[in-house]
Short mmCIF file of all heavy atoms in Angstrom, two decimals:
data_model
loop_
_atom_site.label_atom_id
_atom_site.label_comp_id
_atom_site.label_asym_id
_atom_site.label_seq_id
_atom_site.Cartn_x
_atom_site.Cartn_y
_atom_site.Cartn_z
N PHE A 77 9.06 53.10 59.95
CA PHE A 77 8.60 54.43 60.48
C PHE A 77 8.33 55.41 59.42
O PHE A 77 8.92 55.45 58.35
CB PHE A 77 9.70 55.04 61.39
CG PHE A 77 10.01 54.19 62.57
CD1 PHE A 77 11.24 53.51 62.67
CD2 PHE A 77 9.19 54.05 63.68
CE1 PHE A 77 11.61 52.77 63.74
CE2 PHE A 77 9.53 53.30 64.78
CZ PHE A 77 10.69 52.64 64.80
N THR A 78 7.40 56.26 59.75
CA THR A 78 7.14 57.48 58.93
C THR A 78 8.10 58.54 59.51
O THR A 78 7.95 59.04 60.64
CB THR A 78 5.70 57.97 59.06
OG1 THR A 78 4.78 56.98 58.61
CG2 THR A 78 5.49 59.28 58.30
N ILE A 79 9.20 58.84 58.78
CA ILE A 79 10.19 59.77 59.27
C ILE A 79 10.15 61.06 58.46
O ILE A 79 10.41 61.07 57.24
CB ILE A 79 11.58 59.14 59.09
CG1 ILE A 79 11.69 57.81 59.78
CG2 ILE A 79 12.68 60.09 59.66
CD1 ILE A 79 13.05 57.13 59.58
N PRO A 80 9.68 62.11 59.07
CA PRO A 80 9.66 63.41 58.38
C PRO A 80 11.07 63.79 57.93
O PRO A 80 12.05 63.46 58.62
CB PRO A 80 9.13 64.41 59.42
CG PRO A 80 8.42 63.55 60.48
CD PRO A 80 9.23 62.26 60.47
N GLN A 81 11.20 64.47 56.84
CA GLN A 81 12.50 64.84 56.35
C GLN A 81 13.31 65.66 57.38
O GLN A 81 14.49 65.55 57.49
CB GLN A 81 12.37 65.67 55.08
CG GLN A 81 13.72 66.01 54.37
CD GLN A 81 13.55 66.68 53.04
OE1 GLN A 81 12.40 66.96 52.63
NE2 GLN A 81 14.63 66.87 52.34
N SER A 82 12.54 66.48 58.18
CA SER A 82 13.20 67.29 59.16
C SER A 82 13.75 66.48 60.33
O SER A 82 14.51 67.01 61.13
CB SER A 82 12.18 68.27 59.76
OG SER A 82 11.07 67.63 60.37
N GLU A 83 13.32 65.17 60.38
CA GLU A 83 13.81 64.39 61.51
C GLU A 83 14.80 63.30 61.08
O GLU A 83 15.22 62.47 61.84
CB GLU A 83 12.61 63.70 62.22
CG GLU A 83 11.57 64.64 62.86
CD GLU A 83 12.18 65.33 64.08
OE1 GLU A 83 13.30 64.97 64.52
OE2 GLU A 83 11.54 66.33 64.51
N GLU A 84 15.16 63.31 59.82
CA GLU A 84 16.09 62.28 59.30
C GLU A 84 17.46 62.36 60.02
O GLU A 84 18.07 61.32 60.26
CB GLU A 84 16.35 62.42 57.81
CG GLU A 84 15.18 61.91 56.96
CD GLU A 84 15.49 61.88 55.48
OE1 GLU A 84 16.64 62.27 55.15
OE2 GLU A 84 14.63 61.46 54.68
N LYS A 85 17.88 63.61 60.35
CA LYS A 85 19.16 63.71 61.03
C LYS A 85 19.13 63.05 62.39
O LYS A 85 20.09 62.48 62.86
CB LYS A 85 19.54 65.15 61.12
CG LYS A 85 19.99 65.74 59.79
CD LYS A 85 20.44 67.20 59.94
CE LYS A 85 20.96 67.79 58.66
NZ LYS A 85 21.41 69.20 58.80
N ASN A 86 17.97 63.20 63.09
CA ASN A 86 17.82 62.61 64.44
C ASN A 86 17.87 61.07 64.31
O ASN A 86 18.54 60.39 65.14
CB ASN A 86 16.60 63.03 65.11
CG ASN A 86 16.63 64.43 65.70
OD1 ASN A 86 17.72 64.87 66.05
ND2 ASN A 86 15.48 65.09 65.81
N ALA A 87 17.18 60.51 63.28
CA ALA A 87 17.20 59.09 63.12
C ALA A 87 18.60 58.62 62.78
O ALA A 87 19.08 57.61 63.32
CB ALA A 87 16.22 58.70 62.07
N ALA A 88 19.28 59.39 61.94
CA ALA A 88 20.64 59.00 61.55
C ALA A 88 21.60 59.07 62.74
O ALA A 88 22.47 58.25 62.93
CB ALA A 88 21.15 59.94 60.43
N ARG A 89 21.45 60.09 63.55
CA ARG A 89 22.27 60.23 64.73
C ARG A 89 22.11 59.05 65.68
O ARG A 89 23.07 58.47 66.18
CB ARG A 89 21.93 61.53 65.49
CG ARG A 89 22.62 61.70 66.82
CD ARG A 89 22.36 63.04 67.46
NE ARG A 89 22.85 63.14 68.78
CZ ARG A 89 22.14 63.11 69.90
NH1 ARG A 89 20.79 63.01 69.78
NH2 ARG A 89 22.63 63.22 71.05
N LEU A 90 20.86 58.64 65.83
CA LEU A 90 20.58 57.48 66.75
C LEU A 90 21.18 56.24 66.17
O LEU A 90 21.81 55.44 66.85
CB LEU A 90 19.07 57.30 66.93
CG LEU A 90 18.58 56.08 67.64
CD1 LEU A 90 19.22 55.97 69.02
CD2 LEU A 90 17.07 56.08 67.73
N PHE A 91 21.07 56.05 64.86
CA PHE A 91 21.63 54.88 64.18
C PHE A 91 23.09 54.83 64.39
O PHE A 91 23.71 53.74 64.73
CB PHE A 91 21.32 55.01 62.68
CG PHE A 91 21.69 53.80 61.88
CD1 PHE A 91 20.83 52.75 61.64
CD2 PHE A 91 22.95 53.74 61.32
CE1 PHE A 91 21.23 51.65 60.84
CE2 PHE A 91 23.38 52.60 60.62
CZ PHE A 91 22.46 51.57 60.35
N ASN A 92 23.76 55.98 64.20
CA ASN A 92 25.26 55.99 64.32
C ASN A 92 25.72 55.81 65.79
O ASN A 92 26.72 55.14 66.06
CB ASN A 92 25.81 57.28 63.82
CG ASN A 92 26.01 57.28 62.28
OD1 ASN A 92 26.31 56.24 61.71
ND2 ASN A 92 25.74 58.35 61.61
#
Side-chain angles (χ1 to χ4, degrees):
F77 298 108
T78 300
I79 305 178
Q81 187 174 5
S82 61
E83 298 293 348
E84 283 188 1
K85 288 185 178 179
N86 282 335
R89 173 174 172 255
L90 174 57
F91 185 94
N92 277 325

